[in-house]
Amino acid sequence: MSNSYVLVINSGSSSLKFAIIDSVSGDAIVSGLGECFGLPEATISWKFNGEKTQEAIEAQGNHHQHAIKRLVTLIESLGFTNDIVAVGHRVVHGGEKFTSTVKIDNQVLTEIERLSDLAPLHNPAGAKGIEAAIEAFPNLPQFAVFDTAFHQTMPTKAFTAGIDKDLYTEYGIRRYGFHGTSHFYVSRQAAKILDIPVEKSGFITVHLGNGASVCAVQNGKSKDTSMGFTPLAGLMMGTRSGDIDPGILEFLMKKGWSQDQVFDMLNKKSGFLGVSHITSDARGILEAMEQGHEDAKLAFEVFTYRVAKYIASYLIPLTSLDAIVFTGGIGENSNIIREEILNNLSLLGFVVDSEGNDKARFGNEGIIARSELLGAVAMVVPTNEELVIARECVERL
C-alpha cells in the first residue's frame, strides 16, 4: 500500500465529509458523508471499491464525535490503519491570521474557534471535527487548510471595504474570499493543460455550485474574488442572494422584519430558490425551463448574466488572460449554463465550440470556447479540493 494516504475531513454544522486520498495519484480510496447531525435520522455512508454502505449514527450526544469514531472502525476494518500519514481538515475561515496551511496544536485550535465570529456557521463545526479527530487519531499529525488562505495575496485596494476604516481595524471587516482550494487547484491544472508556466499565467476561475465565486488569478496568485467578508457576497447562488443594495436590509427591518428573518431570507431563501420559487438546484431550474416555467427562466437568466458580469469585470485585476476556467458542480456539468454565460461575453470575442462544450462534462476537462480578440480560451477543469488538502499535508510532514 502507498505511504502517502491522507484522511481529509470537512466538517459542516450538520454534516461531515471525509475521504482517504492518495496524495500521489489523487485517487479517493474511500469517500463518505455523515449527515443530518442533530436529527434522529443522522446517518453515515461511504463508498469503497464501487460499493456504497449506509448506517444510522447513534442518536445521543455529539454526532461529529460518533461519526469519527465510526470512521476509525471503518479504517481499521478496511486495513488502512497503518497507511494514513496525516489528517487534513478543511477550515472555512482563517481571517488574516492564517495565510497558509498550518499544523494543528492547541493554539491553532483556539484561534480557529476565536475566528467563529467571522464564520459562525462553519468554524465552530470545523473545530468540532478537529477535536473529535485529535481524540480519535492522537498519534497522527493534523493540519488545517483554510478556504481563505489563497486569497491573502489580494492587494489592499481589492480587499478594503468602502466603509469607515476603523471597522477593519477593530473588527477585521474586509473582503476575505472563499473556495480558495478550488481556485488554487484549477488555476494550476489549467496552466498544465495549456502548457504555460503558472508563474506567467492569467486566469479567471469560475467555481459554480450551490455556492459560487469568481477569482482573478495572475501568475498563480489571487488578485480579487467575488465572495467577501462572508460567503454571502458576489454571485447569486443556490439559496444565497449574492450582492444586493444594503439599503434593502434597512428597508425590510423598517417594515417589521427581524434581523434573523432578513438574514435567513438572504442565506436560505434567495438565489435560484428565491427567484424561481421552485428549487435551489440548477438541474431543477433547467428542467422547469424546458417545461415553460417563466420564473425558472428568469432565475437562469439572472444567474448567467451576473456570472458574465463578474467575469468581465475581473479583466481589470489581470495583466493578461489565458483562460476562463469553469469548475464546481454546475461549472463542470452544465453545458447549457456555460454556453449562456459565454454568449453574454460575446463582446469579448468568445465563440462557443458546441461539440467541445457538450463533451466537457461529468469529469471531463476540455476547451469549450475561444476568443481571437483576447487570444484566450474558455475551458472546463474538474476541481479536486481534497487532493489539494492531502498534498498540503504531505508537504509539511
Side-chain angles (χ1 to χ4, degrees):
M1 285 188 179
S2 169
N3 63 353
S4 59
Y5 290 175
V6 176
L7 173 60
V8 175
I9 294 176
N10 180 355
S11 297
S13 57
S14 61
S15 66
L16 186 144
K17 295 180 183 177
F18 61 89
I20 297 174
I21 303 293
D22 185 327
S23 65
V24 176
S25 69
D27 294 335
I29 310 303
V30 181
S31 61
L33 173 67
E35 56 188 334
C36 299
F37 291 179
L39 300 174
E41 58 267 31
T43 60
I44 184 170
S45 60
W46 63 88
K47 289 181 182 178
F48 178 63
N49 283 342
E51 293 186 13
K52 183 174 181 179
T53 306
Q54 181 170 298
E55 294 178 0
I57 296 178
E58 201 174 315
Q60 300 299 317
N62 184 334
H63 279 161
H64 287 82
Q65 198 170 49
H66 288 318
I68 288 183
K69 281 182 178 178
R70 182 62 186 93
L71 179 55
V72 172
T73 60
L74 172 64
I75 289 169
E76 290 172 349
S77 68
L78 297 177
F80 291 108
T81 305
N82 297 321
D83 298 287
I84 295 173
V85 297
V87 182
H89 297 268
R90 178 202 177 209
V91 180
V92 167
H93 218 307
E96 292 184 312
K97 175 74 175 180
F98 299 109
T99 59
S100 61
T101 297
V102 294
K103 189 174 182 179
I104 296 170
D105 56 21
N106 288 335
Q107 186 177 350
V108 168
L109 182 55
T110 298
E111 189 67 22
I112 289 170
E113 291 171 333
R114 191 188 69 77
L115 288 164
S116 291
D117 276 354
L118 301 182
L121 296 178
H122 297 94
N123 274 36
K128 278 186 183 179
I130 291 169
E131 288 169 351
I134 289 172
E135 182 180 337
F137 306 100
N139 298 320
L140 285 177
Q142 309 217 12
F143 298 88
V145 182
F146 299 91
D147 265 15
T148 49
F150 180 57
H151 302 301
Q152 286 296 305
T153 54
M154 284 190 292
T156 306
K157 65 182 179 183
F159 71 68
T160 299
I163 56 177
D164 186 339
K165 195 166 181 254
D166 288 346
L167 295 174
Y168 169 53
T169 305
E170 187 170 354
Y171 300 117
I173 296 176
R174 50 156 285 183
R175 182 177 301 277
Y176 288 101
F178 302 90
H179 293 142
T181 52
S182 180
H183 291 298
F184 171 88
Y185 178 80
V186 299
S187 60
R188 269 71 186 159
Q189 287 298 109
K192 286 182 183 178
I193 293 166
L194 298 176
D195 195 24
I196 56 178
V198 71
E199 299 82 7
K200 296 180 180 179
S201 64
F203 298 114
I204 298 173
T205 52
V206 187
H207 181 108
L208 304 180
N210 192 50
S213 64
V214 179
C215 184
V217 186
Q218 187 72 60
N219 303 330
K221 295 181 179 180
S222 173
K223 294 298 182 183
D224 205 347
T225 190
S226 58
M227 284 182 168
F229 180 64
T230 74
L232 182 57
L235 304 176
M236 185 180 100
M237 308 176 216
T239 63
R240 282 173 258 176
S241 65
D243 293 341
I244 64 164
D245 179 349
I248 293 170
L249 280 64
E250 179 189 29
F251 176 85
L252 290 174
M253 293 173 83
K254 283 184 175 178
K255 292 291 184 183
W257 285 49
S258 69
Q259 177 181 311
D260 287 345
Q261 282 178 309
V262 169
F263 283 92
D264 184 64
M265 180 271 292
L266 294 176
N267 278 290
K268 299 178 181 178
K269 298 175 182 176
S270 297
F272 277 139
L273 178 62
V275 177
S276 73
H277 279 192
I278 301 173
T279 179
S280 62
D281 190 283
R283 291 165 295 189
I285 294 293
L286 294 175
E287 288 171 7
M289 275 178 56
E290 289 181 3
Q291 296 164 9
H293 196 291
E294 287 300 317
D295 286 339
K297 182 182 178 185
L298 178 61
F300 167 82
E301 290 176 343
V302 172
F303 179 75
T304 52
Y305 175 67
R306 289 191 176 193
V307 174
K309 278 209 303 182
Y310 253 104
I311 291 172
S313 70
Y314 275 20
L315 290 171
I316 303 302
L318 300 178
T319 57
S320 64
L321 179 68
D322 296 297
I324 297 168
V325 186
F326 290 95
T327 195
I330 297 171
E332 293 171 25
N333 297 309
S334 182
N335 53 333
I336 296 170
I337 287 176
R338 294 190 308 240
E339 182 172 8
E340 183 66 13
I341 291 168
L342 290 165
N343 285 341
N344 282 326
L345 294 169
S346 60
L347 190 62
L348 299 180
F350 282 98
V351 178
V352 176
D353 172 0
S354 295
E355 185 177 349
N357 191 32
D358 290 344
K359 286 181 179 178
R361 301 174 72 198
F362 311 126
N364 295 317
E365 62 189 33
I367 292 173
I368 62 171
R370 295 181 184 274
S371 168
E372 290 188 13
L373 178 66
L374 298 178
V377 301
M379 60 195 300
V380 175
V381 177
T383 194
N384 193 337
E385 294 169 273
E386 291 80 8
L387 178 58
V388 172
I389 293 171
R391 287 181 173 167
E392 288 280 302
C393 295
V394 169
E395 285 174 9
R396 287 162 174 80
L397 289 175

